[in-house]
Amino acid sequence: AQSVTQLGSHVSVSEGALVLLRCNYSSSVPPYLFWYVQYPNQGLQLLLKYTSAATLVKGINGFEAEFKKSETSFHLPKPSAHMSDAAEYFCAVSEETSYDKVIFGPGTSLSVIP
Amino acid sequence: EADIYQTPRYLVIGTGKKITLECSQTMGHDKMYWYQQDPGMELHLIHYSYGVNSTEKGDLSSESTVSRIRTEHFPLTLESARPSHTSQYLCASRSLNGGPGGNEQFFGPGTRLTVL
């Protein structure tokens, strides 16, 4: 069965500092992996996705993520946080064999301190 | 740019009222979903549909019902609203086509429901 864990329900960083949002997944078959961002009072917006092509995936807003099969991870680092990055971030997984079902992680709330 | 709409954006209503949350998408997607999300919490799938006349219950039990009479429209109905239904409801759609470009979900802006 698929599952997603996100270490740290709240992350707080200073503006300009490195941000690392963590995501680990479990899947018995090759997965599709996603990061979504949710700003206050809005729906989710796709940040980036991994679909078995390149393991380093670039997304919007300067984010990129690296798929590491050996670690079953899909962490989301960003070298320099901006105030506009403050939001809720969700990692999600779906399986190639049943990609119609997407499992979301519990989310990580990112705060950026000026 | 995703074209998926939800109305109303905010709704405050009394206990016992019947409500329908609207969701429409103009992308021609076959699959549509309803998620329930409490503030700062994860998303829980409550309903989904593979296409017209197809509806399935999700992982989280819900007293709501859905219908799919047209591809673009996937309304959610609560026959008798209760305070425990207070939450945010997110609608999403997805292409049926597989492959790298066809697996992401597009989300609407959500409906924040408060039942007094």
Side-chain angles (χ1 to χ4, degrees):
Chain A
Q2 305 163 67
S3 68
V4 180
T5 56
Q6 292 183 242
L7 186 61
S9 58
H10 292 93
V11 172
S12 184
V13 299
S14 298
E15 190 173 18
L18 168 70
V19 177
L20 179 63
L21 304 180
R22 298 176 188 272
C23 173
N24 288 88
Y25 70 93
S26 68
S27 176
S28 57
V29 295
Y32 291 121
L33 294 159
F34 308 86
W35 275 101
Y36 285 89
V37 60
Q38 184 181 33
Y39 298 102
N41 299 315
Q42 294 186 27
L44 277 69
Q45 178 184 5
L46 183 68
L47 204 57
L48 47 79
K49 62 181 179 182
Y50 166 76
T51 55
S52 74
T55 57
L56 186 62
V57 180
K58 290 186 185 296
I60 63 172
N61 302 342
F63 281 97
E64 62 180 37
E66 185 175 9
F67 171 64
K68 292 186 176 180
K69 184 178 179 180
S70 60
E71 299 176 7
T72 60
S73 69
F74 192 51
H75 301 328
L76 186 69
K78 188 178 183 186
S80 177
H82 295 148
M83 295 297 294
S84 59
D85 293 329
E88 189 86 18
Y89 292 82
F90 292 93
C91 183
V93 62
S94 68
E95 292 183 346
E96 196 174 55
T97 53
S98 60
Y99 60 83
D100 55 336
K101 200 163 188 182
V102 179
I103 306 298
F104 285 86
T108 296
S109 177
L110 175 64
S111 299
V112 182
I113 304 165
Chain B
E1 187 75 24
D3 295 309
I4 178 164
Y5 309 99
Q6 289 185 245
T7 57
R9 290 293 314 277
Y10 302 92
L11 178 62
V12 180
I13 203 162
T15 297
K17 300 291 186 182
K18 178 180 179 179
I19 58 170
T20 296
L21 308 184
E22 302 287 351
C23 176
S24 295
Q25 50 94 7
T26 59
M27 297 173 282
H29 287 168
D30 295 290
K31 294 193 172 178
M32 296 189 74
Y33 307 78
W34 276 104
Y35 291 90
Q36 185 173 342
Q37 183 189 29
D38 291 326
M41 302 295 285
E42 63 200 284
L43 282 73
H44 293 285
L45 180 67
I46 51 175
H47 298 284
Y48 61 101
S49 166
Y50 291 114
V52 172
N53 294 325
S54 153
T55 60
E56 304 285 344
K57 288 192 178 296
D59 301 321
L60 181 68
S61 175
S62 174
E63 294 167 345
S64 58
T65 59
V66 291
S67 62
R68 191 88 184 275
I69 300 172
R70 304 197 316 266
T71 298
E72 63 271 23
H73 194 214
F74 191 41
L76 180 144
T77 298
L78 277 164
E79 290 293 332
S80 179
R82 294 208 303 268
S84 60
H85 296 140
T86 295
S87 190
Q88 173 158 259
Y89 293 84
L90 291 169
C91 180
S93 73
R94 191 179 198 184
S95 170
L96 249 186
N97 297 325
N103 288 307
E104 67 184 270
Q105 291 184 328
F106 293 91
F107 282 83
T111 294
R112 188 168 294 279
L113 172 66
T114 302
V115 184
L116 303 176

